Amino acid sequence: MIGLIITGIIAVSAFVVIPNLSYVNLLYTDQQQLRNIALDTLKAMLLEAGYPANWGTTYNFDPDQVERFGLALAESSSFYVLDPDKVQRLVVGNPAGFMEYEDIHTELALQGYGFNFRIIPPFKVIVNDVDFDGESNPITLANLTEGVDVLVTYNTGSPIPKASVEAILLYVLKGKDTFYTGIEAYNTTNALGKCTMNPDVPDGITDFVLVFKVTVADVTTITSSYKEGFGEQHIMNASIVGENITLSIPEGPGWEKGSAGTRWVDNVIVVNKEGAWIIYNGTRSDEDKITWGGENWIWSRLFSSLSYYNPLFIIVNLSVPNPRRLVLFLGPDPNWMGMRVEAFGDPTGSGGATSAVTVQRDVIISEMTYIAELILWKESP
Amino acid sequence: MKISKNTSGQMRVIESILASFIVVFAITFASTFAVTPRSATYEVGDLEKLGHNALHNLDEQRLLSRFVYNQSEWSTNFPVALRISLPSDVYFELKIYDLDDTLLNINVPIRYGNPEVFDDSASVASVMYSIAGYSRFDPATGSQVEYAPRTLILLLVRG
């Protein structure tokens, strides 16, 4: 009888313990496999230049012509230096062409796995967080006059004190036919990672863009913000590919109503690590015209030696109709926010997956440091 | 009362118990050899790559030498630069040695995380990175400063 009880206890324990042990081990093994695949995938993405080696810079971009995928800058002798043209091909909606998730999924041989990829700044710069959601908001003229609040944090959310913040104001004035730049403000974040920027604001501003250069331990990130009030109009479809800048009227909120009428490209300003540089002054000729539909719906120019500027993003001074006025536009998306790829991957996300792994590497793009992050998960069969 | 003398099944019961013990023991023993993602071998390899990459990138940006040779940076910019270069769940401690293996930052720890995490964790990665040093003009003495190679030891632990 005692023997039977002992045998029963052992049997029941075995039924409980053994499957648990096996399950835990299987789970660990599964996670390990997932992590290995994620590391290998990230390595392939960041260290390989792909084929053709300059696949991101080709005009009339055709994703089918990319025989092997990789984001590394072919001319670089250092590791983890990425080609900005290739990176921009991961921005869905890029008017100069982009790669679809499925194409890269196939190129990387990730059948059975889902992934999400992003390239973000090494730390967060949050501008005018009026709703305390940890996200930047456009700035009102009142904010600009009273002072614009800036919060600098690690990507985990903890504040960074003693970060050096520099703001450059670019603006247009009522009744004036040009844009102005050069009003700068400097400050340093306090123990809570906060500071207020107070540039001298001239009277009669109708539109403005604020460019923020934030330096933490000599690692710099550059982001920008714009005047609230024009909605999505402030972001224009733009791309920088090699020496070429392309602009087009985006579809979406803010554009339908005022889509009729001519827009004139008056100035193009390139922002890089060193500051803002005017590289083009328009003449209001047909060459600088953008209209809704027709042959002028896209504006494209070749700027020799543009790549030597290492452009991060551009600001376009555009004359827009209804009523006729100057408006400053930022692009390409999401570069003007200080990041390179906001989210590229499976739109369904890893919600249904039992486990997902995240791997990161710091990378260099246009002489700036970013964090490349890959989230990989096993898709349900 | 009559006690049954039929004991022919008792040996079977004892055999079953022993067999069960052997099976459970075998599985438990085998599972200890499984290489899991949290095993020391796996973790250390990944952390070593991360650490080397972070130091290499700072070196590429010409920041590493400046941080190492300026003691005033050890408690300010150096730990912050490493913190933004490494994933948020990685704790680190950096030690700077000279050619005589003397620990130079003994009084100024360059660290993120509680010191105990390095003692308590079974998976501490260690990355060695050398800086050849550089020659520069010292206006105070009016002479060239000697090359002074430094060895950096970066310890990493996942939190």
Side-chain angles (χ1 to χ4, degrees):
Chain A
M1 188 62 189
I2 294 166
L4 273 174
I5 292 167
I6 293 171
T7 312
I9 290 168
I10 291 172
V12 170
S13 311
F15 288 142
V16 174
V17 172
I18 292 171
N20 267 328
L21 279 174
S22 307
Y23 176 72
V24 168
N25 277 340
L26 278 173
L27 197 66
Y28 279 170
T29 310
D30 207 36
Q31 277 183 346
Q32 179 184 339
Q33 190 189 20
L34 204 58
R35 205 169 173 82
N36 285 341
I37 292 168
L39 284 168
D40 287 345
T41 304
L42 191 65
K43 208 167 124 186
M45 289 171 95
L46 304 182
L47 294 180
E48 294 279 335
Y51 189 83
N54 64 340
W55 63 264
T57 316
T58 52
Y59 301 104
N60 301 319
F61 178 70
D62 179 5
D64 295 335
Q65 287 178 353
V66 182
E67 291 181 31
R68 204 172 64 244
F69 177 77
L71 296 171
L73 184 67
E75 305 91 69
S76 175
S77 55
S78 297
F79 293 133
Y80 298 108
V81 178
L82 306 189
D83 185 333
D85 294 340
K86 292 173 187 168
V87 168
Q88 213 187 137
R89 302 296 186 186
L90 301 185
V91 178
V92 177
N94 178 1
F98 58 94
M99 291 196 77
E100 298 279 357
Y101 170 73
E102 285 74 21
D103 293 336
I104 295 177
H105 194 251
T106 311
E107 289 271 352
L108 295 171
L110 285 174
Q111 287 80 3
Y113 297 90
F115 75 89
N116 228 307
F117 180 72
R118 61 181 188 152
I119 300 178
I120 55 172
F123 51 89
K124 271 189 185 177
V125 179
I126 302 160
V127 178
N128 199 30
D129 186 13
V130 283
D131 41 9
F132 304 103
D133 63 348
E135 300 293 332
S136 294
N137 290 295
I139 305 164
T140 63
L141 198 53
N143 294 145
L144 190 65
T145 312
E146 289 161 13
V148 179
D149 292 331
V150 176
L151 170 65
V152 183
T153 70
Y154 291 102
N155 284 323
T156 50
S158 48
I160 303 181
K162 293 183 182 173
S164 159
V165 185
E166 181 183 338
I168 304 169
L169 179 68
L170 295 95
Y171 58 97
V172 289
L173 295 174
K174 192 176 181 181
K176 302 284 184 185
D177 211 17
T178 186
F179 86 101
Y180 301 86
T181 181
I183 294 179
E184 296 175 0
Y186 304 89
N187 210 340
T188 305
T189 56
N190 62 15
L192 299 172
K194 290 179 179 175
C195 69
T196 303
M197 306 305 288
N198 290 296
D200 289 328
V201 183
D203 292 332
I205 284 189
T206 52
D207 194 23
F208 63 82
V209 162
L210 257 182
V211 176
F212 296 91
K213 180 179 177 179
V214 183
T215 306
V216 174
D218 286 292
V219 179
T220 299
T221 191
I222 294 180
T223 184
S224 59
S225 191
Y226 54 87
K227 181 177 177 260
E228 190 179 71
F230 289 94
E232 296 296 320
Q233 277 204 43
H234 262 82
I235 316 302
M236 194 165 191
N237 272 351
S239 70
I240 308 169
V241 177
E243 315 285 1
N244 207 68
I245 291 180
T246 305
L247 306 170
S248 64
I249 296 175
E251 293 174 28
W255 285 97
E256 299 94 337
K257 246 194 281 181
S259 59
T262 301
R263 287 152 178 85
W264 304 101
V265 179
D266 277 1
N267 309 96
V268 178
I269 302 121
V270 162
V271 178
N272 66 5
K273 198 177 176 181
E274 312 302 328
W277 313 92
I278 303 166
I279 60 160
Y280 184 74
N281 293 310
T283 55
R284 298 220 175 170
S285 63
D286 278 359
E287 286 185 347
D288 297 320
K289 188 197 282 185
I290 304 182
T291 53
W292 187 256
E295 59 179 17
N296 290 110
W297 75 277
I298 200 161
W299 180 94
S300 192
R301 285 286 175 286
L302 197 69
F303 296 95
S304 58
S305 68
L306 175 66
S307 55
Y308 288 102
Y309 277 91
N310 274 323
L312 300 173
F313 57 89
I314 55 170
I315 300 165
V316 183
N317 179 24
L318 207 67
S319 168
V320 299
N322 310 321
R324 180 63 57 186
R325 65 204 186 282
L326 292 177
V327 180
L328 296 171
F329 287 85
L330 287 159
D333 209 5
N335 296 25
W336 64 272
M337 292 186 273
M339 59 177 73
R340 289 288 178 156
V341 180
E342 204 170 2
F344 179 85
D346 188 345
T348 58
S350 59
T354 50
S355 61
V357 293
T358 304
V359 286
Q360 291 181 341
R361 284 286 180 273
D362 49 334
V363 295
I364 307 285
I365 308 170
S366 302
E367 295 184 339
M368 303 281 287
T369 301
Y370 295 88
I371 306 291
E373 183 186 273
L374 178 78
I375 302 172
L376 187 84
W377 62 89
K378 208 167 193 173
E379 286 172 339
S380 312
Chain B
M1 196 167 76
K2 190 180 178 184
I3 298 171
S4 171
K5 297 282 183 188
N6 187 3
T7 57
S8 60
Q10 280 182 6
M11 206 52 216
R12 295 278 180 269
V13 172
I14 292 165
E15 280 173 357
S16 319
I17 293 167
L18 285 175
S20 307
F21 270 127
I22 289 166
V23 168
V24 171
F25 175 74
I27 289 169
T28 311
F29 184 71
S31 69
T32 59
F33 289 98
V35 181
T36 68
R38 289 177 192 173
S39 71
T41 317
Y42 181 77
E43 270 298 302
V44 167
D46 187 30
L47 288 170
E48 279 174 353
K49 286 176 195 161
L50 273 173
H52 189 271
N53 185 40
L55 291 174
H56 180 72
N57 273 1
L58 289 175
D59 205 6
E60 285 280 308
Q61 294 175 72
R62 299 177 182 179
L63 292 173
L64 194 60
S65 290
R66 216 198 71 197
F67 291 157
V68 169
Y69 290 100
N70 288 299
Q71 199 170 335
S72 60
E73 308 264 24
W74 291 355
S75 59
T76 53
N77 284 337
F78 206 172
V80 176
L82 283 171
R83 207 175 149 189
I84 58 179
S85 302
L86 292 164
S88 51
D89 61 340
V90 172
Y91 300 126
F92 63 82
E93 178 167 10
L94 186 95
K95 296 179 178 181
I96 304 172
Y97 292 91
D98 65 9
L99 272 184
D100 302 325
D101 284 343
T102 308
L103 180 60
L104 300 177
N105 64 323
I106 192 160
N107 296 320
V108 190
I110 303 168
R111 181 193 298 141
Y112 170 55
N114 200 317
E116 279 83 50
V117 295
F118 297 95
D119 301 328
D120 298 344
S121 175
S123 315
V124 182
S126 176
V127 178
M128 191 169 82
Y129 197 94
S130 296
I131 300 177
Y134 64 104
S135 177
R136 65 183 169 85
F137 180 76
D138 186 354
T141 59
S143 60
Q144 288 292 116
V145 176
E146 292 288 314
Y147 282 99
R150 296 281 184 263
T151 302
L152 311 181
I153 303 289
L154 180 63
L155 303 174
L156 300 142
V157 169
R158 205 178 287 276

